[in-house]
Amino acid sequence: FEVFDYLDRLFCDHSGTIWATSTEKVYRFHDDVRRFREARVHTRDSTERYGALFHLPDGSLWLTAQSGFYRWDNRQQAFVPGRNPFPVQAPIGTRVFASFQNTVFFLKNDSLYACHTASGRLTGLPNKAIRLVHPVSETRVLVSTWNIDAWWY
C-alpha cells in the first residue's frame, strides 16, 4: 500500500481496523481495496494538526487534534466534535499523548495534564522538557524528558 505522507502513528481499533495519522491527515485502512484512504475530520480549521487515536472504556474512538478531541461517528464515517469529556479548551499539544482506560495524558501550554474522562477531574504538573509519557495505570505515568531524565507522576 502507498501513503503519500509522513506517518506519525499507527493504531488498531477494537474492531481490527488499522488507522494511521500524519500531522495533517488521518487515514483508515480499507480491506476491500487493500489500501489506506483519508478519513474525514469535521473541523473548521484548515491548518489543523492531528495526533494520536485512542479508545475510551465505552468503546468510543477518539482523535487528538490541536483544536481539541474528535469522536469517530460510524454513521457519518467521520471524526466529529461530540460531547466532550475533556474539561480543557483548545489549543492542546498533539506531540505528547497517552491514555489508560478513562485517563488521558496530554500537554497544554506549559503543563502535562491527566484528565479522568468519567469524572472530569483534571490534574497537572509543569512541563519540563517532556518527551514521552508511559502510563501504567489511570493514576501513574512514567515521564521521560529530552534531557534523558525520567520520573513517576
Side-chain angles (χ1 to χ4, degrees), residues 104-151:
V104 295
F105 302 89
F106 58 91
L107 290 178
K108 176 176 171 47
N109 299 330
D110 294 330
S111 297
L112 172 66
Y113 286 99
C115 175
H116 190 269
T117 58
S119 69
R121 187 170 148 236
L122 185 69
T123 58
L125 79 141
N127 174 10
K128 297 187 188 253
I130 293 173
R131 182 173 178 260
L132 296 169
V133 292
H134 309 277
V136 295
S137 74
E138 287 191 296
T139 58
R140 298 277 292 173
V141 63
L142 179 62
V143 178
S144 62
T145 72
W146 291 102
N147 302 328
I148 315 191
D149 295 326
W151 71 88

Side-chain angles (χ1 to χ4, degrees), residues 2-144:
E2 292 182 44
V3 175
F4 300 102
D5 208 345
Y6 176 80
L7 298 179
D8 290 325
R9 296 178 171 100
L10 291 172
F11 181 79
C12 182
D13 69 18
H14 291 322
S15 69
T17 300
I18 305 295
W19 299 82
T21 60
S22 71
T23 55
E24 298 173 356
K25 295 183 181 179
V26 179
Y27 300 95
R28 181 180 184 189
F29 191 78
H30 292 267
D31 284 327
D32 56 341
V33 292
R34 306 288 301 152
R35 61 182 286 213
F36 282 95
R37 289 189 179 146
E38 188 176 344
R40 291 182 306 139
V41 180
H42 289 239
T43 179
R44 292 187 178 116
D45 186 354
S46 63
T47 63
E48 183 69 86
R49 295 287 184 206
Y50 301 117
L53 291 155
F54 65 100
H55 279 291
L56 287 179
D58 66 2
S60 58
L61 177 63
W62 290 82
L63 168 68
T64 62
Q66 212 171 12
S67 64
F69 297 90
Y70 292 82
R71 180 187 49 79
W72 177 254
D73 185 314
N74 214 25
R75 193 176 92 276
Q76 294 185 48
Q77 291 292 293
F79 285 96
V80 299
R83 181 194 67 78
N84 193 347
F86 310 97
V88 295
Q89 298 295 317
I92 64 165
T94 58
R95 185 182 53 78
V96 174
F97 180 86
S99 65
F100 194 98
Q101 296 177 349
N102 280 302
T103 303
V104 295
F105 302 89
F106 58 91
L107 290 178
K108 176 176 171 47
N109 299 330
D110 294 330
S111 297
L112 172 66
Y113 286 99
C115 175
H116 190 269
T117 58
S119 69
R121 187 170 148 236
L122 185 69
T123 58
L125 79 141
N127 174 10
K128 297 187 188 253
I130 293 173
R131 182 173 178 260
L132 296 169
V133 292
H134 309 277
V136 295
S137 74
E138 287 191 296
T139 58
R140 298 277 292 173
V141 63
L142 179 62
V143 178
S144 62

